[in-house]
């Protein structure tokens, strides 16, 4: 069966960023990867109320399309996030969307899903924006891979397969071959300590998932040195943090 990818556009226009997505879709479909493109502006996404109920009670009081979108994202083998760069960062729409996924930070559901980030800009903000988007992916428990960027002056430059090869590689390969970075292992440790010592509401979830006695979400190819550093970090943090 073909792998399925969800590509998310977060510009109100179907212009530069959307063009990059349609180019990538065409190329991925040529290698039998199905791509569905959605536009965040086609959905109702209300701004986060800041009540923290999603974190504290695992429930959001806002009535809009977010639950549907968050369920939809879990139906795919890989995700492409995209944004026009605004003030050297993601568009407001994408930020609002990210804020509303906050419950995933404590109860990750996208563990092991490869994410590729795509940005378009007049000139500035590429590095900063891609870095931020990678960070969100890691906080979701997902796996950031390639980052594709174009400036308005290079928007017509065709996307090259090498620009998405890491994404495709991770889409195709068994999860056991994933190599989590130290950053991913450290973040896993932080959220594990939170789940086991502070956020009682998450303890059962982490136990059910079998993560409570793991050093990553699944059995992966963890570099021995990174494993030792992350494990020491975990033990130190576990000792320091007092039970709630
Ligand atoms: C509100 C706003 C803020 C922007 N901020 C930046 C910026 O900080 N740096 C930059 O180089 N381009 C900036 N741009 C230009 C867009 O990033 C660029 O035109 C982008 O390709 C638009 O993508 P779209 O056609 O998908 O909407 C901004 C555009 C808008 C409308």
């Amino acid at each position: 069966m073909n792998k399925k990818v969800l590509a998310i556009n977060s510009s109100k226009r179907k212009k530069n960023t959307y063009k990059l997505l349609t180019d990538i879709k065409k190329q991925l479909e040529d290698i039998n990867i199905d791509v569905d493109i959605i536009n965040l502006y086609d959905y109702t996404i209300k701004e986060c109320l800041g009540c923290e109920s999603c974190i504290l009670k695992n429930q959001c009081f806002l009535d809009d399309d977010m639950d549907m979108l968050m369920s939809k994202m879990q139906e795919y083998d890989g995700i492409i996030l995209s944004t026009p760069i605004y003030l050297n960062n993601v568009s407001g729409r994408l930020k609002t969307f990210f804020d509303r996924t906050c419950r995933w930070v404590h109860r990750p559901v996208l563990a092991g899903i490869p994410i590729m980030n795509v940005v378009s800009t007049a000139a500035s903000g590429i590095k900063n924006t891609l870095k931020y988007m990678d960070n969100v992916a890691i906080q979701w428990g997902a796996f950031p891979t390639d980052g594709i960027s174009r400036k308005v002056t290079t928007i017509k430059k065709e996307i090259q397969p090498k620009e998405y090869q890491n994404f495709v590689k991770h889409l195709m390969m068994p999860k056991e071959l994933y190599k989590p970075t130290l950053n991913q292992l450290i973040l896993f440790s932080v959220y594990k300590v939170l789940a086991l010592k502070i956020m009682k509401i998450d303890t059962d979830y982490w136990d059910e998932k079998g993560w409570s006695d793991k050093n990553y979400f699944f059995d992966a190819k963890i570099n021995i040195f990174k494993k030792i550093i992350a494990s020491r970090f975990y033990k130190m943090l576990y000792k320091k943090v007092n039970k709630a």
Side-chain angles (χ1 to χ4, degrees), residues 157-190:
K157 189 176 157 226
E158 203 183 341
I159 306 279
Q160 301 298 311
K162 66 172 190 275
E163 292 182 271
Y164 52 76
Q165 67 181 10
N166 202 22
F167 177 62
V168 171
K169 184 178 114 187
H170 282 86
L171 208 52
M172 298 301 177
M173 80 188 198
K175 283 195 177 31
E176 305 83 66
L177 297 182
Y178 278 11
K179 293 180 185 162
T181 62
L182 185 59
N183 190 8
Q184 283 170 297
L185 297 172
I186 295 280
L187 213 63
F188 178 86
S189 300
V190 171

PDB file of all heavy atoms in Angstrom, residues 157-190:
ATOM      1  N   LYS A 157      12.365  27.862  -8.898  1.00  0.00           N
ATOM      2  CA  LYS A 157      13.422  26.833  -8.959  1.00  0.00           C
ATOM      3  C   LYS A 157      12.832  25.475  -8.548  1.00  0.00           C
ATOM      4  O   LYS A 157      12.284  25.320  -7.453  1.00  0.00           O
ATOM      5  CB  LYS A 157      14.565  27.225  -8.012  1.00  0.00           C
ATOM      6  CG  LYS A 157      15.773  26.346  -8.164  1.00  0.00           C
ATOM      7  CD  LYS A 157      16.915  26.841  -7.264  1.00  0.00           C
ATOM      8  CE  LYS A 157      17.848  25.691  -6.990  1.00  0.00           C
ATOM      9  NZ  LYS A 157      18.224  25.555  -5.614  1.00  0.00           N
ATOM     10  N   GLU A 158      12.946  24.535  -9.442  1.00  0.00           N
ATOM     11  CA  GLU A 158      12.296  23.236  -9.210  1.00  0.00           C
ATOM     12  C   GLU A 158      12.827  22.549  -7.948  1.00  0.00           C
ATOM     13  O   GLU A 158      14.013  22.631  -7.634  1.00  0.00           O
ATOM     14  CB  GLU A 158      12.549  22.328 -10.423  1.00  0.00           C
ATOM     15  CG  GLU A 158      11.495  21.247 -10.520  1.00  0.00           C
ATOM     16  CD  GLU A 158      11.762  20.272 -11.670  1.00  0.00           C
ATOM     17  OE1 GLU A 158      12.519  20.623 -12.583  1.00  0.00           O
ATOM     18  OE2 GLU A 158      11.197  19.178 -11.614  1.00  0.00           O
ATOM     19  N   ILE A 159      11.928  21.913  -7.233  1.00  0.00           N
ATOM     20  CA  ILE A 159      12.327  21.163  -6.037  1.00  0.00           C
ATOM     21  C   ILE A 159      13.146  19.945  -6.491  1.00  0.00           C
ATOM     22  O   ILE A 159      12.751  19.226  -7.419  1.00  0.00           O
ATOM     23  CB  ILE A 159      11.076  20.667  -5.268  1.00  0.00           C
ATOM     24  CG1 ILE A 159      10.113  21.825  -4.955  1.00  0.00           C
ATOM     25  CG2 ILE A 159      11.461  19.876  -4.034  1.00  0.00           C
ATOM     26  CD1 ILE A 159      10.429  22.665  -3.772  1.00  0.00           C
ATOM     27  N   GLN A 160      14.271  19.744  -5.836  1.00  0.00           N
ATOM     28  CA  GLN A 160      15.140  18.617  -6.190  1.00  0.00           C
ATOM     29  C   GLN A 160      14.887  17.443  -5.250  1.00  0.00           C
ATOM     30  O   GLN A 160      14.693  17.656  -4.049  1.00  0.00           O
ATOM     31  CB  GLN A 160      16.617  19.032  -6.059  1.00  0.00           C
ATOM     32  CG  GLN A 160      17.019  20.215  -6.931  1.00  0.00           C
ATOM     33  CD  GLN A 160      16.852  19.913  -8.413  1.00  0.00           C
ATOM     34  OE1 GLN A 160      17.303  18.878  -8.901  1.00  0.00           O
ATOM     35  NE2 GLN A 160      16.193  20.809  -9.132  1.00  0.00           N
ATOM     36  N   PRO A 161      14.926  16.206  -5.757  1.00  0.00           N
ATOM     37  CA  PRO A 161      14.702  15.033  -4.892  1.00  0.00           C
ATOM     38  C   PRO A 161      15.591  15.020  -3.656  1.00  0.00           C
ATOM     39  O   PRO A 161      15.165  14.570  -2.588  1.00  0.00           O
ATOM     40  CB  PRO A 161      15.010  13.845  -5.814  1.00  0.00           C
ATOM     41  CG  PRO A 161      14.719  14.358  -7.190  1.00  0.00           C
ATOM     42  CD  PRO A 161      15.075  15.817  -7.179  1.00  0.00           C
ATOM     43  N   LYS A 162      16.810  15.535  -3.776  1.00  0.00           N
ATOM     44  CA  LYS A 162      17.684  15.509  -2.588  1.00  0.00           C
ATOM     45  C   LYS A 162      17.147  16.396  -1.463  1.00  0.00           C
ATOM     46  O   LYS A 162      17.504  16.226  -0.303  1.00  0.00           O
ATOM     47  CB  LYS A 162      19.131  15.860  -2.936  1.00  0.00           C
ATOM     48  CG  LYS A 162      19.375  17.276  -3.419  1.00  0.00           C
ATOM     49  CD  LYS A 162      20.889  17.495  -3.512  1.00  0.00           C
ATOM     50  CE  LYS A 162      21.244  18.929  -3.744  1.00  0.00           C
ATOM     51  NZ  LYS A 162      21.271  19.465  -5.054  1.00  0.00           N
ATOM     52  N   GLU A 163      16.254  17.321  -1.821  1.00  0.00           N
ATOM     53  CA  GLU A 163      15.700  18.211  -0.797  1.00  0.00           C
ATOM     54  C   GLU A 163      14.674  17.489   0.096  1.00  0.00           C
ATOM     55  O   GLU A 163      14.382  17.948   1.193  1.00  0.00           O
ATOM     56  CB  GLU A 163      15.049  19.442  -1.448  1.00  0.00           C
ATOM     57  CG  GLU A 163      16.046  20.371  -2.125  1.00  0.00           C
ATOM     58  CD  GLU A 163      15.375  21.590  -2.722  1.00  0.00           C
ATOM     59  OE1 GLU A 163      14.948  21.525  -3.902  1.00  0.00           O
ATOM     60  OE2 GLU A 163      15.252  22.605  -2.022  1.00  0.00           O
ATOM     61  N   TYR A 164      14.100  16.399  -0.420  1.00  0.00           N
ATOM     62  CA  TYR A 164      13.129  15.664   0.422  1.00  0.00           C
ATOM     63  C   TYR A 164      13.537  14.215   0.650  1.00  0.00           C
ATOM     64  O   TYR A 164      12.765  13.402   1.144  1.00  0.00           O
ATOM     65  CB  TYR A 164      11.705  15.741  -0.172  1.00  0.00           C
ATOM     66  CG  TYR A 164      11.575  15.328  -1.631  1.00  0.00           C
ATOM     67  CD1 TYR A 164      11.607  13.989  -1.999  1.00  0.00           C
ATOM     68  CD2 TYR A 164      11.411  16.280  -2.628  1.00  0.00           C
ATOM     69  CE1 TYR A 164      11.487  13.617  -3.329  1.00  0.00           C
ATOM     70  CE2 TYR A 164      11.301  15.922  -3.962  1.00  0.00           C
ATOM     71  CZ  TYR A 164      11.337  14.595  -4.305  1.00  0.00           C
ATOM     72  OH  TYR A 164      11.226  14.211  -5.620  1.00  0.00           O
ATOM     73  N   GLN A 165      14.795  13.884   0.339  1.00  0.00           N
ATOM     74  CA  GLN A 165      15.187  12.473   0.416  1.00  0.00           C
ATOM     75  C   GLN A 165      15.173  11.916   1.852  1.00  0.00           C
ATOM     76  O   GLN A 165      14.828  10.761   2.077  1.00  0.00           O
ATOM     77  CB  GLN A 165      16.552  12.240  -0.237  1.00  0.00           C
ATOM     78  CG  GLN A 165      17.723  12.889   0.498  1.00  0.00           C
ATOM     79  CD  GLN A 165      19.064  12.660  -0.209  1.00  0.00           C
ATOM     80  OE1 GLN A 165      19.110  12.180  -1.339  1.00  0.00           O
ATOM     81  NE2 GLN A 165      20.137  13.022   0.461  1.00  0.00           N
ATOM     82  N   ASN A 166      15.511  12.777   2.804  1.00  0.00           N
ATOM     83  CA  ASN A 166      15.525  12.313   4.192  1.00  0.00           C
ATOM     84  C   ASN A 166      14.101  12.022   4.689  1.00  0.00           C
ATOM     85  O   ASN A 166      13.849  11.044   5.404  1.00  0.00           O
ATOM     86  CB  ASN A 166      16.192  13.399   5.041  1.00  0.00           C
ATOM     87  CG  ASN A 166      16.738  12.864   6.320  1.00  0.00           C
ATOM     88  OD1 ASN A 166      16.996  11.668   6.443  1.00  0.00           O
ATOM     89  ND2 ASN A 166      16.910  13.747   7.285  1.00  0.00           N
ATOM     90  N   PHE A 167      13.177  12.873   4.255  1.00  0.00           N
ATOM     91  CA  PHE A 167      11.756  12.673   4.603  1.00  0.00           C
ATOM     92  C   PHE A 167      11.272  11.333   4.031  1.00  0.00           C
ATOM     93  O   PHE A 167      10.672  10.524   4.736  1.00  0.00           O
ATOM     94  CB  PHE A 167      10.934  13.831   4.040  1.00  0.00           C
ATOM     95  CG  PHE A 167       9.453  13.734   4.260  1.00  0.00           C
ATOM     96  CD1 PHE A 167       8.921  13.720   5.543  1.00  0.00           C
ATOM     97  CD2 PHE A 167       8.577  13.668   3.186  1.00  0.00           C
ATOM     98  CE1 PHE A 167       7.547  13.629   5.756  1.00  0.00           C
ATOM     99  CE2 PHE A 167       7.202  13.594   3.379  1.00  0.00           C
ATOM    100  CZ  PHE A 167       6.694  13.570   4.664  1.00  0.00           C
ATOM    101  N   VAL A 168      11.568  11.118   2.754  1.00  0.00           N
ATOM    102  CA  VAL A 168      11.118   9.880   2.088  1.00  0.00           C
ATOM    103  C   VAL A 168      11.782   8.666   2.746  1.00  0.00           C
ATOM    104  O   VAL A 168      11.124   7.654   2.995  1.00  0.00           O
ATOM    105  CB  VAL A 168      11.422   9.934   0.569  1.00  0.00           C
ATOM    106  CG1 VAL A 168      11.168   8.590  -0.086  1.00  0.00           C
ATOM    107  CG2 VAL A 168      10.581  11.027  -0.095  1.00  0.00           C
ATOM    108  N   LYS A 169      13.065   8.824   3.059  1.00  0.00           N
ATOM    109  CA  LYS A 169      13.781   7.704   3.702  1.00  0.00           C
ATOM    110  C   LYS A 169      13.089   7.311   5.020  1.00  0.00           C
ATOM    111  O   LYS A 169      12.819   6.144   5.279  1.00  0.00           O
ATOM    112  CB  LYS A 169      15.234   8.133   3.966  1.00  0.00           C
ATOM    113  CG  LYS A 169      16.106   7.038   4.535  1.00  0.00           C
ATOM    114  CD  LYS A 169      17.537   7.529   4.730  1.00  0.00           C
ATOM    115  CE  LYS A 169      17.846   7.559   6.210  1.00  0.00           C
ATOM    116  NZ  LYS A 169      19.121   8.155   6.539  1.00  0.00           N
ATOM    117  N   HIS A 170      12.771   8.329   5.826  1.00  0.00           N
ATOM    118  CA  HIS A 170      12.133   8.041   7.119  1.00  0.00           C
ATOM    119  C   HIS A 170      10.705   7.529   6.960  1.00  0.00           C
ATOM    120  O   HIS A 170      10.204   6.776   7.791  1.00  0.00           O
ATOM    121  CB  HIS A 170      12.165   9.280   8.014  1.00  0.00           C
ATOM    122  CG  HIS A 170      13.501   9.487   8.644  1.00  0.00           C
ATOM    123  ND1 HIS A 170      14.504  10.170   8.020  1.00  0.00           N
ATOM    124  CD2 HIS A 170      14.008   9.061   9.824  1.00  0.00           C
ATOM    125  CE1 HIS A 170      15.581  10.171   8.792  1.00  0.00           C
ATOM    126  NE2 HIS A 170      15.306   9.503   9.891  1.00  0.00           N
ATOM    127  N   LEU A 171      10.065   7.942   5.859  1.00  0.00           N
ATOM    128  CA  LEU A 171       8.701   7.472   5.582  1.00  0.00           C
ATOM    129  C   LEU A 171       8.708   5.974   5.279  1.00  0.00           C
ATOM    130  O   LEU A 171       7.809   5.232   5.673  1.00  0.00           O
ATOM    131  CB  LEU A 171       8.206   8.249   4.349  1.00  0.00           C
ATOM    132  CG  LEU A 171       6.750   8.529   4.133  1.00  0.00           C
ATOM    133  CD1 LEU A 171       6.134   9.178   5.343  1.00  0.00           C
ATOM    134  CD2 LEU A 171       6.597   9.460   2.923  1.00  0.00           C
ATOM    135  N   MET A 172       9.745   5.548   4.593  1.00  0.00           N
ATOM    136  CA  MET A 172       9.816   4.175   4.117  1.00  0.00           C
ATOM    137  C   MET A 172      10.441   3.214   5.127  1.00  0.00           C
ATOM    138  O   MET A 172      10.166   2.025   5.105  1.00  0.00           O
ATOM    139  CB  MET A 172      10.648   4.101   2.813  1.00  0.00           C
ATOM    140  CG  MET A 172      10.051   4.885   1.674  1.00  0.00           C
ATOM    141  SD  MET A 172       8.393   4.259   1.331  1.00  0.00           S
ATOM    142  CE  MET A 172       7.852   5.371   0.055  1.00  0.00           C
ATOM    143  N   MET A 173      11.323   3.716   5.970  1.00  0.00           N
ATOM    144  CA  MET A 173      12.092   2.757   6.776  1.00  0.00           C
ATOM    145  C   MET A 173      11.377   2.334   8.057  1.00  0.00           C
ATOM    146  O   MET A 173      10.550   3.071   8.594  1.00  0.00           O
ATOM    147  CB  MET A 173      13.470   3.336   7.096  1.00  0.00           C
ATOM    148  CG  MET A 173      13.544   4.322   8.207  1.00  0.00           C
ATOM    149  SD  MET A 173      15.215   5.004   8.186  1.00  0.00           S
ATOM    150  CE  MET A 173      15.333   5.699   9.767  1.00  0.00           C
ATOM    151  N   PRO A 174      11.681   1.109   8.533  1.00  0.00           N
ATOM    152  CA  PRO A 174      11.064   0.668   9.786  1.00  0.00           C
ATOM    153  C   PRO A 174      11.494   1.574  10.935  1.00  0.00           C
ATOM    154  O   PRO A 174      12.642   2.028  10.964  1.00  0.00           O
ATOM    155  CB  PRO A 174      11.621  -0.746   9.998  1.00  0.00           C
ATOM    156  CG  PRO A 174      12.447  -1.075   8.821  1.00  0.00           C
ATOM    157  CD  PRO A 174      12.639   0.149   7.997  1.00  0.00           C
ATOM    158  N   LYS A 175      10.568   1.818  11.855  1.00  0.00           N
ATOM    159  CA  LYS A 175      10.848   2.739  12.959  1.00  0.00           C
ATOM    160  C   LYS A 175      12.082   2.327  13.775  1.00  0.00           C
ATOM    161  O   LYS A 175      12.782   3.161  14.322  1.00  0.00           O
ATOM    162  CB  LYS A 175       9.639   2.817  13.881  1.00  0.00           C
ATOM    163  CG  LYS A 175       8.517   3.665  13.335  1.00  0.00           C
ATOM    164  CD  LYS A 175       7.531   3.981  14.449  1.00  0.00           C
ATOM    165  CE  LYS A 175       6.404   4.884  14.075  1.00  0.00           C
ATOM    166  NZ  LYS A 175       5.903   4.858  12.745  1.00  0.00           N
ATOM    167  N   GLU A 176      12.324   1.023  13.852  1.00  0.00           N
ATOM    168  CA  GLU A 176      13.460   0.554  14.679  1.00  0.00           C
ATOM    169  C   GLU A 176      14.787   1.102  14.170  1.00  0.00           C
ATOM    170  O   GLU A 176      15.789   1.060  14.870  1.00  0.00           O
ATOM    171  CB  GLU A 176      13.563  -0.985  14.691  1.00  0.00           C
ATOM    172  CG  GLU A 176      12.331  -1.739  15.117  1.00  0.00           C
ATOM    173  CD  GLU A 176      11.362  -1.903  13.971  1.00  0.00           C
ATOM    174  OE1 GLU A 176      11.686  -2.600  13.012  1.00  0.00           O
ATOM    175  OE2 GLU A 176      10.253  -1.301  14.051  1.00  0.00           O
ATOM    176  N   LEU A 177      14.821   1.570  12.937  1.00  0.00           N
ATOM    177  CA  LEU A 177      16.078   2.089  12.393  1.00  0.00           C
ATOM    178  C   LEU A 177      16.240   3.591  12.608  1.00  0.00           C
ATOM    179  O   LEU A 177      17.255   4.180  12.262  1.00  0.00           O
ATOM    180  CB  LEU A 177      16.177   1.777  10.889  1.00  0.00           C
ATOM    181  CG  LEU A 177      16.219   0.294  10.522  1.00  0.00           C
ATOM    182  CD1 LEU A 177      16.358   0.112   9.020  1.00  0.00           C
ATOM    183  CD2 LEU A 177      17.386  -0.401  11.221  1.00  0.00           C
ATOM    184  N   TYR A 178      15.205   4.221  13.186  1.00  0.00           N
ATOM    185  CA  TYR A 178      15.304   5.662  13.466  1.00  0.00           C
ATOM    186  C   TYR A 178      16.445   5.916  14.446  1.00  0.00           C
ATOM    187  O   TYR A 178      16.691   5.126  15.354  1.00  0.00           O
ATOM    188  CB  TYR A 178      14.009   6.165  14.120  1.00  0.00           C
ATOM    189  CG  TYR A 178      12.895   6.472  13.147  1.00  0.00           C
ATOM    190  CD1 TYR A 178      12.963   6.113  11.823  1.00  0.00           C
ATOM    191  CD2 TYR A 178      11.761   7.138  13.598  1.00  0.00           C
ATOM    192  CE1 TYR A 178      11.923   6.399  10.957  1.00  0.00           C
ATOM    193  CE2 TYR A 178      10.717   7.422  12.737  1.00  0.00           C
ATOM    194  CZ  TYR A 178      10.813   7.046  11.418  1.00  0.00           C
ATOM    195  OH  TYR A 178       9.788   7.343  10.570  1.00  0.00           O
ATOM    196  N   LYS A 179      17.105   7.051  14.248  1.00  0.00           N
ATOM    197  CA  LYS A 179      18.187   7.434  15.165  1.00  0.00           C
ATOM    198  C   LYS A 179      17.810   8.741  15.851  1.00  0.00           C
ATOM    199  O   LYS A 179      18.100   9.827  15.319  1.00  0.00           O
ATOM    200  CB  LYS A 179      19.492   7.624  14.379  1.00  0.00           C
ATOM    201  CG  LYS A 179      20.026   6.332  13.782  1.00  0.00           C
ATOM    202  CD  LYS A 179      21.306   6.620  13.019  1.00  0.00           C
ATOM    203  CE  LYS A 179      21.787   5.359  12.323  1.00  0.00           C
ATOM    204  NZ  LYS A 179      22.744   5.640  11.242  1.00  0.00           N
ATOM    205  N   PRO A 180      17.189   8.680  17.015  1.00  0.00           N
ATOM    206  CA  PRO A 180      16.787   9.928  17.693  1.00  0.00           C
ATOM    207  C   PRO A 180      18.013  10.775  18.048  1.00  0.00           C
ATOM    208  O   PRO A 180      19.059  10.239  18.397  1.00  0.00           O
ATOM    209  CB  PRO A 180      16.089   9.451  18.965  1.00  0.00           C
ATOM    210  CG  PRO A 180      15.878   7.999  18.800  1.00  0.00           C
ATOM    211  CD  PRO A 180      16.850   7.492  17.792  1.00  0.00           C
ATOM    212  N   THR A 181      17.850  12.075  17.956  1.00  0.00           N
ATOM    213  CA  THR A 181      18.939  12.994  18.330  1.00  0.00           C
ATOM    214  C   THR A 181      18.958  13.132  19.850  1.00  0.00           C
ATOM    215  O   THR A 181      17.987  12.770  20.536  1.00  0.00           O
ATOM    216  CB  THR A 181      18.705  14.394  17.727  1.00  0.00           C
ATOM    217  OG1 THR A 181      17.473  14.897  18.276  1.00  0.00           O
ATOM    218  CG2 THR A 181      18.623  14.343  16.214  1.00  0.00           C
ATOM    219  N   LEU A 182      20.049  13.713  20.352  1.00  0.00           N
ATOM    220  CA  LEU A 182      20.151  13.936  21.796  1.00  0.00           C
ATOM    221  C   LEU A 182      19.015  14.853  22.267  1.00  0.00           C
ATOM    222  O   LEU A 182      18.402  14.615  23.310  1.00  0.00           O
ATOM    223  CB  LEU A 182      21.518  14.553  22.121  1.00  0.00           C
ATOM    224  CG  LEU A 182      21.814  14.720  23.604  1.00  0.00           C
ATOM    225  CD1 LEU A 182      21.758  13.394  24.346  1.00  0.00           C
ATOM    226  CD2 LEU A 182      23.172  15.374  23.806  1.00  0.00           C
ATOM    227  N   ASN A 183      18.723  15.849  21.450  1.00  0.00           N
ATOM    228  CA  ASN A 183      17.641  16.776  21.762  1.00  0.00           C
ATOM    229  C   ASN A 183      16.312  16.027  21.950  1.00  0.00           C
ATOM    230  O   ASN A 183      15.555  16.276  22.894  1.00  0.00           O
ATOM    231  CB  ASN A 183      17.547  17.780  20.592  1.00  0.00           C
ATOM    232  CG  ASN A 183      16.628  18.928  20.894  1.00  0.00           C
ATOM    233  OD1 ASN A 183      16.159  19.067  22.021  1.00  0.00           O
ATOM    234  ND2 ASN A 183      16.356  19.755  19.895  1.00  0.00           N
ATOM    235  N   GLN A 184      16.047  15.079  21.070  1.00  0.00           N
ATOM    236  CA  GLN A 184      14.800  14.304  21.166  1.00  0.00           C
ATOM    237  C   GLN A 184      14.797  13.428  22.427  1.00  0.00           C
ATOM    238  O   GLN A 184      13.765  13.300  23.089  1.00  0.00           O
ATOM    239  CB  GLN A 184      14.631  13.423  19.918  1.00  0.00           C
ATOM    240  CG  GLN A 184      14.153  14.217  18.715  1.00  0.00           C
ATOM    241  CD  GLN A 184      14.221  13.414  17.433  1.00  0.00           C
ATOM    242  OE1 GLN A 184      15.280  13.006  16.989  1.00  0.00           O
ATOM    243  NE2 GLN A 184      13.088  13.173  16.825  1.00  0.00           N
ATOM    244  N   LEU A 185      15.970  12.848  22.735  1.00  0.00           N
ATOM    245  CA  LEU A 185      16.050  11.979  23.919  1.00  0.00           C
ATOM    246  C   LEU A 185      15.891  12.793  25.202  1.00  0.00           C
ATOM    247  O   LEU A 185      15.221  12.359  26.150  1.00  0.00           O
ATOM    248  CB  LEU A 185      17.394  11.234  23.934  1.00  0.00           C
ATOM    249  CG  LEU A 185      17.625  10.274  22.764  1.00  0.00           C
ATOM    250  CD1 LEU A 185      19.053   9.759  22.772  1.00  0.00           C
ATOM    251  CD2 LEU A 185      16.637   9.112  22.804  1.00  0.00           C
ATOM    252  N   ILE A 186      16.487  13.975  25.203  1.00  0.00           N
ATOM    253  CA  ILE A 186      16.398  14.834  26.396  1.00  0.00           C
ATOM    254  C   ILE A 186      14.945  15.286  26.594  1.00  0.00           C
ATOM    255  O   ILE A 186      14.403  15.227  27.710  1.00  0.00           O
ATOM    256  CB  ILE A 186      17.331  16.073  26.251  1.00  0.00           C
ATOM    257  CG1 ILE A 186      18.794  15.652  26.204  1.00  0.00           C
ATOM    258  CG2 ILE A 186      17.051  17.117  27.320  1.00  0.00           C
ATOM    259  CD1 ILE A 186      19.443  15.340  27.521  1.00  0.00           C
ATOM    260  N   LEU A 187      14.305  15.682  25.510  1.00  0.00           N
ATOM    261  CA  LEU A 187      12.918  16.145  25.610  1.00  0.00           C
ATOM    262  C   LEU A 187      12.003  15.001  26.072  1.00  0.00           C
ATOM    263  O   LEU A 187      11.093  15.194  26.877  1.00  0.00           O
ATOM    264  CB  LEU A 187      12.451  16.698  24.262  1.00  0.00           C
ATOM    265  CG  LEU A 187      11.478  17.848  24.388  1.00  0.00           C
ATOM    266  CD1 LEU A 187      12.116  19.029  25.080  1.00  0.00           C
ATOM    267  CD2 LEU A 187      10.970  18.283  23.017  1.00  0.00           C
ATOM    268  N   PHE A 188      12.279  13.804  25.569  1.00  0.00           N
ATOM    269  CA  PHE A 188      11.515  12.634  26.012  1.00  0.00           C
ATOM    270  C   PHE A 188      11.668  12.481  27.534  1.00  0.00           C
ATOM    271  O   PHE A 188      10.687  12.253  28.248  1.00  0.00           O
ATOM    272  CB  PHE A 188      12.020  11.364  25.295  1.00  0.00           C
ATOM    273  CG  PHE A 188      11.318  10.109  25.729  1.00  0.00           C
ATOM    274  CD1 PHE A 188      10.133   9.728  25.120  1.00  0.00           C
ATOM    275  CD2 PHE A 188      11.827   9.321  26.746  1.00  0.00           C
ATOM    276  CE1 PHE A 188       9.463   8.574  25.529  1.00  0.00           C
ATOM    277  CE2 PHE A 188      11.173   8.177  27.160  1.00  0.00           C
ATOM    278  CZ  PHE A 188       9.990   7.803  26.542  1.00  0.00           C
ATOM    279  N   SER A 189      12.902  12.645  28.035  1.00  0.00           N
ATOM    280  CA  SER A 189      13.157  12.521  29.480  1.00  0.00           C
ATOM    281  C   SER A 189      12.386  13.567  30.268  1.00  0.00           C
ATOM    282  O   SER A 189      11.801  13.273  31.317  1.00  0.00           O
ATOM    283  CB  SER A 189      14.644  12.703  29.784  1.00  0.00           C
ATOM    284  OG  SER A 189      15.395  11.746  29.120  1.00  0.00           O
ATOM    285  N   VAL A 190      12.374  14.791  29.751  1.00  0.00           N
ATOM    286  CA  VAL A 190      11.677  15.884  30.456  1.00  0.00           C
ATOM    287  C   VAL A 190      10.197  15.544  30.589  1.00  0.00           C
ATOM    288  O   VAL A 190       9.611  15.607  31.679  1.00  0.00           O
ATOM    289  CB  VAL A 190      11.854  17.232  29.704  1.00  0.00           C
ATOM    290  CG1 VAL A 190      10.968  18.308  30.298  1.00  0.00           C
ATOM    291  CG2 VAL A 190      13.311  17.676  29.724  1.00  0.00           C
TER     292      VAL A 190
END
